[in-house]
Amino acid sequence: MAMENTEELSPLRITATVRALSSALRGKREPVHGSGRGKGDRTFPEPEKLWFKESSAKNLRNRDFLSPSTMLNTLYADGQVPPAVMSRVLSLRGSGVLPVAGGEVMGEGLRLRVDRVAAFRAVLAGGTTEYLKPSGQREGCVVLNCPALHPKPNPPAPDTLSLGQLRTVLLADHMGAMLRRQGFEVSFCPTLPEDSDVAAFLRALGIDWPTAQANWTNDEREERIQKVLESSPYRERGTGSGRRSSGGGGRKAVEEENEGGLRINLKQVFQEEGMLGYDPTLGTCKVHRDSVSHLAQLDLSTADITGTMVTVLHVTSCQDEFRQQQIAVLWRASGAAHSQRHLVCGPVKTPGSHLTAAQYLQLRKGQMKEASEMKYGDKVEGQTWDDIIKVMTSATIRFELLSTVHTSPVTLDVQREGGVSTKGPRGGVFVMYNCARLHTLFDSYERGVEKGLYPEIPDGSQLDFSALKEEGEWLLLFNYLIPFSELLDQSGQALDCEGGGARVNIKTEQICKFLVSLSKDFSSYYNRVHVLGEPLPHLFNQMFCRLHLLRALRELYHSALETLNLPPIRQL
């Protein structure tokens, strides 16, 4: 009994369960030979391919995990699982492993059902804290560099910032929040003038980008880097040696005529320094003042970091990727030895229109206000509603630009008559609306307690979780509450991957997709189930079990929205 209690205290994990199931099914078996198919030796499956977690409501009605018949056939003759192996699978226990209730071999493979009552009890009665944070804490420092915000040579402004560049800023902001949650020390580059229009614009979107006083300069650091590059062994001597120029705005033509300028052989740098995955056509690059300014900002962002590994993640648009590779190699030539990776974003397309970031924000804000007025009428006024519309607008923009795989293009509907719907599963608005529904539910419950209709919610250890029989309840626990912690782990794990070259691919779209999917399933459940029932004692156990589940879900919303730097909406 003590062993069971110890196991229940360990947070349940999908990965740990799949690993344990694979070990139990596979044992120490060798590949099966022959089998009447005439193909000789069979391919031995990888352990992680032996089992699959189900997620669709249809499949979850009869199984939670499946080992497909194709996998069973590679392990056992005719796919027949020996009784001893089946017994080992069905009696599986271990730290983080979901409790098994039963299983059977059917046409599609070995179907396994989880002991759902035990799983509900483990998660809801044991406290959900461990399910709302990464499974482990990481060490190290990540600098998120956003080239779109560097002066090149003029400082960026909301009226000149493109939607593609805005996408990179939002992605950097999201990555910063995700990595901080995992324990990384995170800083951002460049530092913006505190009174600049672009800093105010980012604040309107809920982005807290680092700023400095308007009269602050980085001149001394720029001069030092210039001198280092002038004495670099990678410096090209003589004239006419450059294949490409990094560009310098309106000064490009003038500067390229000055063949005596400072040039660095970038190809030699990345070959001799072992920088993998860089464009072989980088060639020789002329060093312009805005490039040195960029390097000085990078240098500043890492200057005070000592005794820990630093990874600099350049978050850039595909249009600016070549230039950013030049900057990265130039920085290495100046003596910076930090690991550098490139997170590259696809373009943002607006068929039939061309909008700047400022115009896009104003459009979505106006549409959000109009949609709110249509739904809620005259009460849409005052500071509270201004704050709600600001957050809802920010949510709309973040979900529109971050819900797509970061390397893929995003196509936006920016027709002014399109509007922003407050109904239907349409990204940010839908997510925030369903989060607000949970707050409204608990407000209603608290009012019922004040009126004496309901008692306070008892501790989960006092409840019988077999009352949670709705398929939607298991869906919310199994697809969202239990897997969330492992979802938070992924961005840090991607940074650890070596050998992938300059580019790094991170599933940055997953939190947005997770929240939209969660909101669809919660909305379906909430519309179907009456949570706050009649105040009758014999109904209280089921109501309290549901409130425990939905309270955990509310905290899950908060935790996921925090990675997008979005505060929850508590009323609508």
Side-chain angles (χ1 to χ4, degrees):
M1 188 69 180
M3 177 62 73
E4 289 179 7
N5 289 340
T6 301
E7 289 169 2
E8 284 187 11
L9 290 176
S10 301
L12 302 179
R13 301 288 186 228
I14 301 300
T15 301
T17 303
V18 169
R19 190 181 299 122
L21 285 172
S22 297
S23 178
L25 183 63
R26 186 177 181 180
K28 297 180 179 179
R29 294 190 59 80
E30 297 299 321
V32 175
H33 298 280
S35 80
R37 293 188 181 184
K39 294 185 179 180
D41 293 356
R42 302 183 185 190
T43 303
F44 206 42
E46 295 296 322
E48 62 271 16
K49 301 287 181 64
L50 285 176
W51 290 93
F52 296 92
K53 173 191 174 296
E54 295 290 3
S55 58
S56 72
K58 177 182 176 182
N59 288 340
L60 286 174
R61 287 171 193 147
N62 54 52
R63 62 182 186 252
D64 299 308
F65 291 94
L66 175 71
S67 182
S69 55
T70 53
M71 293 293 107
L72 298 180
N73 288 333
T74 66
L75 290 173
Y76 302 104
D78 300 321
Q80 296 298 311
V81 182
V85 174
M86 181 66 87
S87 176
R88 191 166 63 218
V89 170
L90 297 181
S91 61
L92 195 64
R93 292 290 183 271
S95 177
V97 176
L98 277 89
V100 176
E104 56 187 345
V105 177
M106 303 293 285
E108 66 269 34
L110 174 52
R111 306 193 312 197
L112 211 64
R113 284 182 64 84
V114 168
D115 183 340
R116 296 182 175 184
V117 175
F120 275 120
R121 187 188 311 116
V123 177
L124 301 178
T128 56
T129 304
E130 294 299 318
Y131 295 91
L132 302 176
K133 63 182 184 180
S135 60
Q137 286 293 291
R138 312 292 293 276
E139 292 182 353
C141 178
V142 179
V143 176
L144 289 152
N145 177 43
C146 202
L149 298 179
H150 281 267
K152 301 185 285 186
N154 300 313
D159 290 327
T160 59
L161 199 67
S162 71
L163 295 184
Q165 291 173 322
L166 176 61
R167 185 183 185 188
T168 67
V169 178
L170 289 168
L171 196 56
D173 185 58
H174 175 43
M175 284 301 303
M178 287 284 284
L179 293 168
R180 277 197 180 114
R181 289 285 293 278
Q182 293 173 61
F184 289 100
E185 182 184 343
V186 175
S187 58
F188 294 88
C189 180
T191 301
L192 298 174
E194 63 183 1
D195 61 348
S196 62
D197 289 342
V198 74
F201 171 76
L202 295 182
R203 284 193 294 271
L205 278 170
I207 299 174
D208 185 21
W209 201 269
T211 59
Q213 293 182 350
N215 60 356
W216 173 85
T217 68
N218 208 16
D219 293 347
E220 288 186 11
R221 203 174 292 272
E222 290 180 20
E223 290 175 14
R224 182 179 61 76
I225 291 175
Q226 179 76 24
K227 288 178 181 177
V228 170
L229 290 175
E230 287 172 356
S231 59
S232 170
Y234 301 113
R235 180 178 180 177
E236 286 280 329
R237 310 291 175 177
T239 62
S241 56
R243 291 194 217 169
R244 293 197 184 199
S245 168
S246 63
R251 301 177 301 169
K252 181 177 178 182
V254 175
E255 290 190 350
E256 288 200 324
E257 289 178 7
N258 179 14
E259 290 294 333
L262 173 61
R263 291 178 177 274
I264 299 294
N265 188 327
L266 301 183
K267 189 169 186 177
Q268 184 185 357
V269 176
F270 71 70
Q271 286 178 338
E272 293 188 8
E273 297 283 338
M275 301 175 73
L276 302 175
Y278 280 79
D279 192 320
T281 67
L282 282 174
T284 300
C285 164
K286 186 158 187 174
V287 180
H288 297 292
R289 285 183 58 193
D290 56 299
S291 299
V292 175
S293 169
H294 196 137
L295 299 183
Q297 284 272 10
L298 286 169
D299 216 46
L300 176 67
S301 68
T302 57
D304 297 329
I305 302 170
T306 57
T308 186
M309 188 184 78
V310 178
T311 299
V312 178
L313 190 60
H314 304 288
V315 188
T316 185
S317 65
C318 55
Q319 296 94 327
D320 293 335
E321 181 183 13
F322 185 86
R323 172 184 168 79
Q324 196 53 39
Q325 286 203 8
Q326 289 179 317
I327 293 292
V329 180
L330 268 179
W331 197 31
R332 177 62 64 87
S334 75
H338 305 301
S339 171
Q340 298 184 70
R341 308 298 294 272
H342 298 253
L343 189 69
V344 181
C345 293
V348 177
K349 301 177 180 179
T350 54
S353 302
H354 175 75
L355 292 183
T356 65
Q359 291 169 330
Y360 173 51
L361 174 60
Q362 285 305 116
L363 173 65
R364 289 294 184 249
K365 185 177 180 180
Q367 290 173 330
M368 192 67 242
K369 191 172 191 303
E370 183 180 338
S372 299
E373 288 171 343
M374 287 181 65
K375 182 167 185 175
Y376 299 104
D378 294 340
K379 70 175 185 177
V380 181
E381 60 181 11
Q383 188 60 49
T384 298
W385 269 100
D386 287 347
D387 292 342
I388 289 173
I389 289 170
K390 176 183 175 181
V391 172
M392 296 290 267
T393 302
S394 178
T396 297
I397 289 173
R398 287 171 191 267
F399 276 79
E400 284 186 334
L401 294 181
L402 297 179
S403 295
T404 304
V405 176
H406 67 81
T407 52
S408 299
V410 170
T411 301
L412 297 178
D413 178 6
V414 293
Q415 301 304 314
R416 298 187 183 279
E417 65 274 11
V420 176
S421 174
T422 58
K423 295 182 179 179
R426 294 188 58 182
V429 173
F430 182 65
V431 168
M432 302 304 280
Y433 171 68
N434 278 285
C435 181
R437 292 172 86 184
L438 276 166
H439 283 278
T440 301
L441 168 70
F442 281 92
D443 287 344
S444 298
Y445 166 72
E446 290 299 336
R447 285 195 297 271
V449 172
E450 291 170 5
K451 293 177 182 177
L453 297 176
Y454 307 122
E456 294 285 353
I457 301 178
D459 186 81
S461 61
Q462 301 175 35
L463 297 175
D464 176 9
F465 285 98
S466 64
L468 296 179
K469 293 182 170 64
E470 274 278 336
E471 68 175 33
E473 290 157 353
W474 178 244
L475 202 71
L476 293 171
L477 188 91
F478 192 56
N479 282 352
Y480 303 104
L481 273 166
I482 292 177
F484 180 65
S485 179
E486 293 177 71
L487 180 64
L488 291 177
D489 291 332
Q490 292 183 0
S491 51
Q493 291 168 350
L495 286 181
D496 289 342
C497 295
E498 297 298 330
R503 276 193 175 199
V504 60
N505 289 319
I506 301 175
K507 296 177 180 179
T508 56
E509 76 286 355
Q510 286 202 331
I511 289 289
C512 287
K513 288 189 171 182
F514 175 89
L515 278 165
V516 170
S517 181
L518 165 63
S519 298
K520 289 178 181 177
D521 285 334
F522 165 66
S523 181
S524 174
Y525 170 74
Y526 193 70
N527 290 339
R528 191 173 64 251
V529 174
H530 191 54
V531 177
L532 298 181
E534 293 292 318
L536 301 174
H538 72 280
L539 300 177
F540 283 162
N541 178 75
Q542 183 181 60
M543 182 183 77
F544 288 141
C545 287
R546 286 172 171 171
L547 287 173
H548 267 273
L549 173 63
L550 296 182
R551 185 166 61 184
L553 215 61
R554 182 183 62 181
E555 297 308 311
L556 176 61
Y557 265 105
H558 292 182
S559 188
L561 288 171
E562 188 179 311
T563 71
L564 293 164
N565 285 323
L566 286 170
I569 297 292
R570 299 179 185 273
Q571 64 175 45
L572 271 179

